[in-house]
Amino acid sequence: MSLLVSKDISGLMSLQRSVSVYIAFLALFLFGASLFLISSPITSSIHEYMVGIHSPTIQDFVNSTVSKVHQDDQDHHIGNGHENISSVPSPSVSKENIDEKGQVAVAPPSKLDSRNNISGDCDLYHGRWVHDPDGPLYTNKTCPIITQMQNCQGNGRPDRDYENWRWKPDQCDLPRFDPRKFLQLMQGKTLAFIGDSVARNQMESLLCILWQVETPKNRGNRLMHRWTFPSTSTTIARIWSSWLVHHTNDPIEGAGADVDKLHLDMPDEFFMEHIPKFDVIVLSSGHWFAKKSVYLLNSTVIGGQLWNPPTSMEQSMKVNHMEAYRISVETALTAIARQPNYAGLTIVRTYSPDHYEGGEWNTGGSCTGKSKPAQRVVENGFTNGMHQRQVASFWNSMQKTGAAARFRLMDITEGFGLRHDGHPGPYRSPDPNKITKRGRGGRPPSQDCLHWCMPGPVDTWNELVLEIIRREFDHANDPIPQLQH
């Protein structure tokens, strides 16, 4: 009996020694690993993967065989020059994955330039909408330049609670727009909006806010809108560029003069000619890629939208409208970064979501009756796909050019996915006889669920712009100029 007990004790002591040795070995291993991570926190291969160094270039794209266009190239329409884009099913897109062509969906800003997170540790682009009893900084009656289609109150919209919501980032507060502070920071400078009619929507919002403290002088023309505030010589400009790339209507095989031809590897020469005059650019685009068009690279047709190519071209149709958008963004940003005479700050506003529900803009899609922000974003495959490609192209072009210090990504897409209440809906016309309610069978009236009411959520974009500019140009000791009324 005693012998058995002795053996058990001996075995137990042996097991304890083995466990002690194992624990000591594990501790040494963890200590050594921690030293390695501290001295080399991320390897070059991981870094390259995250920021997309190995993503294919445009030329790689041309030289490679591209898989058949996916579900997401279903038809979208734009009618009468007014951008009404509907939501259609497409493959779901994750913000942290790689798409089918190796593009990084979202490269963390810290990988290239931590200042793209413009509030230090505060992420301005994730948050919630909170009720603001103070209301907007202007009304449709105190701003004389609101485009009629965005003048929701002037067009008879009966509710106005959509005006009384402010964006609250999760980790900080976004300051209310201070017009005098903006004019001080932009003294002697020019800010230009470049893009489509949603860019015009944002420009008019900024002008309406600034108009409350000073009346600007109109110095523009048909090709470039320009408003100057005399007290500080601050200029707000706007250049129309639907696609950001060169386009023509010259006939080609299978496509006459009625179809726009987009040269995806050539930036829009008009805005490129003028950007050396600007100190800040707010760049945005996307919605016109749903329009009927033909896509070219190296003057060779590679795809199209709402266009039936000749049989001889069908095999070369490898690029749909989402991929065309991706290429165009990278082309434009790369060209801006490499423009030797432009050293300004470029703010890239991400894709602005629409909120057509129950159909397309011309097939019963509607945002009628939406009067408050949504509690959660209703996933929209088209919006997700466009946003993912735009963000990927932003980081790819930054990696390619090394220009991240002069570029900021203003990612509004997620937060504005909640603002289905902020569109004109059926209140896009002053016509007293317009139809604003659903008809027989519940069919909604024709409406705009893409652009934004003014005042309304769009004003938040300019609060974000001011915060970005403040961090770039703020000099606390400079006196605030006296403004002329």
Side-chain angles (χ1 to χ4, degrees), residues 185-254:
L185 295 175
M186 289 296 296
Q187 185 164 6
K189 296 181 174 65
T190 297
L191 182 151
F193 293 91
I194 299 175
D196 52 27
S197 60
V198 183
R200 182 216 67 227
N201 203 171
Q202 184 178 0
M203 177 207 67
E204 290 178 354
S205 163
L206 178 59
L207 286 175
C208 284
I209 295 171
L210 298 176
W211 213 291
Q212 307 312 299
V213 298
E214 183 178 6
T215 300
K217 305 294 184 182
N218 187 349
R219 308 295 191 196
N221 54 44
R222 185 178 63 85
L223 296 178
M224 185 191 306
H225 295 177
R226 293 174 66 247
W227 298 85
T228 298
F229 293 83
S231 64
T232 58
S233 298
T234 300
T235 298
I236 306 300
R238 179 220 170 197
I239 293 179
W240 178 278
S241 184
S242 304
W243 295 281
L244 304 183
V245 293
H246 176 70
H247 80 280
T248 71
N249 294 105
D250 299 337
I252 60 173
E253 180 186 355

Side-chain angles (χ1 to χ4, degrees), residues 353-412:
D354 69 65
H355 290 91
Y356 289 97
E357 297 179 6
E360 302 182 14
W361 70 274
N362 59 347
T363 59
S366 167
C367 52
T368 298
K370 307 297 184 183
S371 59
K372 295 182 183 299
Q375 294 298 310
R376 63 181 182 84
V377 176
V378 176
E379 290 300 319
N380 181 319
F382 183 68
T383 294
N384 288 350
M386 295 293 277
H387 174 257
Q388 179 261 346
R389 284 162 173 80
Q390 182 187 24
V391 173
S393 291
F394 177 90
W395 291 113
N396 289 342
S397 60
M398 294 303 95
Q399 180 63 42
K400 182 190 303 182
T401 62
R406 298 188 289 114
F407 283 73
R408 299 290 176 268
L409 184 69
M410 195 176 93
D411 197 344
I412 58 87

Side-chain angles (χ1 to χ4, degrees), residues 276-290:
K277 306 172 186 176
F278 305 144
D279 301 282
V280 179
I281 290 173
V282 180
L283 195 75
S284 57
S285 65
H287 297 286
W288 274 64
F289 279 86

Side-chain angles (χ1 to χ4, degrees), residues 438-443:
R438 293 180 181 271
R440 293 181 179 179
R443 183 177 178 85

Side-chain angles (χ1 to χ4, degrees), residues 53 61 64 82 120 153 160-161 218 247 325 336 344 368 379 415 456:
I53 291 175
F61 189 82
S64 64
H82 176 62
Q153 291 299 308
R160 65 187 317 153
D161 193 52
N218 187 349
H247 80 280
Y325 177 53
I336 292 171
T368 298
E379 290 300 319

Side-chain angles (χ1 to χ4, degrees), residues 470-485:
R470 184 189 66 79
R471 295 188 64 84
E472 297 296 324
F473 303 142
D474 196 4
H475 302 287
N477 296 324
D478 289 350
I480 296 178
Q482 296 298 313
L483 303 178
Q484 301 173 2
H485 293 275

